[in-house]
Amino acid sequence: GDSVVQTEGQVLPSEGDSLIVNCSYETTQYPSLFWYVQYPGEGPQLHLKAMKANDKGRNKGFEAMYRKETTSFHLEKDSVQESDSAVYFCAPSNQAGTALIFGKGTTLSVSS
Amino acid sequence: GAVVSQHPSRVICKSGTSVKIECRSLDFQATTMFWYRQFPKQSLMLMATSNEGSKATYEQGVEKDKFLINHASLTLSTLTVTSAHPEDSSFYICSARVEGQGRYEQYFGPGTRLTVT
């Protein structure tokens, strides 16, 4: 079945540090790729997306490149801020648009 | 655009009672909506896919007689937790899918915190 693996647990950078959160997926069909962000007590929000190979999703300084050859969609940022602290989920979805498959989530806690 | 609401945001009920949670797409029509539950510090677990005008499709291990889903219109899906027990206490989140022009994005509601005493 379809699956996704992302950096697990907590990531604890300081403000100004660079960030990479890994995401690797395995799907039977050609997926669209999403990163969602969730703040405490809220539902996930769409953070960025890439619909096909070599597309780059961008939002608020974050980027993720759709790499079909390595089946990856790593989330990157050059300089994190304390306000970026949240839980991030990588979520592929096949082109037919069935339910998203969520990774286990990565908790980003940025210290000032 | 693409706003999804849920009601109520929090509910406390006694064991054995039923609770209904509403999920609405406010500015778009959604043929398909999804229901998830989330335990503390865990990921979202898909419970069922709700299709307007037809029966919901439940994931393996989810009791369809316990978690009743109705998708009566293109903007409303409801989840009813019947005969609730403390182990049903969780954070329930719905999402609605934007469709058309090759888009298959899902937008999530703010969630409903259910506590069964």
Side-chain angles (χ1 to χ4, degrees):
Chain A
D2 296 349
S3 64
V4 57
V5 176
Q6 65 178 98
T7 302
E8 285 193 31
Q10 271 194 313
V11 178
L12 304 168
S14 300
E15 264 196 329
D17 286 351
S18 62
L19 172 75
I20 297 178
V21 179
N22 291 330
C23 172
S24 297
Y25 64 90
E26 188 174 319
T27 58
T28 54
Q29 299 185 39
Y30 185 37
S32 300
L33 300 174
F34 302 89
W35 277 98
Y36 281 82
V37 59
Q38 186 177 29
Y39 299 97
E42 299 181 10
Q45 300 172 24
L46 179 58
H47 187 51
L48 56 80
K49 64 182 180 182
M51 308 307 288
K52 62 184 188 298
N54 302 318
D55 276 358
K56 181 179 279 189
R58 295 183 175 90
N59 186 29
K60 298 181 180 178
F62 288 87
E63 293 184 345
M65 172 72 83
Y66 189 143
R67 298 190 186 280
K68 185 180 178 183
E69 65 278 8
T70 56
T71 62
S72 65
F73 192 52
H74 306 320
L75 182 66
E76 302 181 34
K77 189 172 187 180
D78 287 340
S79 176
V80 295
Q81 301 171 9
E82 196 171 357
S83 58
D84 294 329
S85 298
V87 180
Y88 291 80
F89 293 98
C90 182
S93 173
N94 70 40
Q95 291 287 5
T98 55
L100 295 164
I101 309 155
F102 278 86
K104 291 190 175 181
T106 304
T107 301
L108 176 63
S109 298
V110 182
S111 56
S112 57
Chain B
V3 179
V4 177
S5 70
Q6 274 184 250
H7 178 79
S9 57
R10 290 178 177 273
V11 57
I12 300 173
C13 70
K14 293 188 176 181
S15 189
T17 61
S18 295
V19 173
K20 180 186 282 188
I21 302 169
E22 293 185 348
C23 176
R24 294 182 185 274
S25 56
L26 298 185
D27 52 0
F28 66 101
Q29 293 183 330
T31 304
T32 305
M33 293 184 175
F34 305 93
W35 287 95
Y36 296 81
R37 68 187 296 182
Q38 185 178 33
F39 293 106
K41 299 191 185 302
Q42 293 190 24
S43 188
L44 283 76
M45 184 189 78
L46 178 66
M47 298 176 66
T49 301
S50 168
N51 295 295
E52 187 267 338
S54 64
K55 291 184 179 180
T57 303
Y58 291 82
E59 294 301 299
Q60 194 170 11
V62 177
E63 299 176 58
K64 60 182 179 182
D65 294 332
K66 181 168 186 61
F67 297 101
L68 300 179
I69 291 171
N70 184 280
H71 193 156
S73 79
L74 288 172
T75 58
L76 173 65
S77 176
T78 60
L79 168 68
T80 302
V81 183
T82 63
S83 187
H85 291 285
E87 58 265 31
D88 298 324
S89 298
S90 189
F91 193 48
Y92 291 87
I93 312 172
C94 72
S95 72
R97 190 171 74 194
V98 171
E99 299 175 359
Q101 300 178 335
R103 295 177 65 192
Y104 294 104
E105 298 145 17
Q106 289 184 30
Y107 291 87
F108 286 81
T112 296
R113 175 78 57 195
L114 171 63
T115 303
V116 185
T117 61

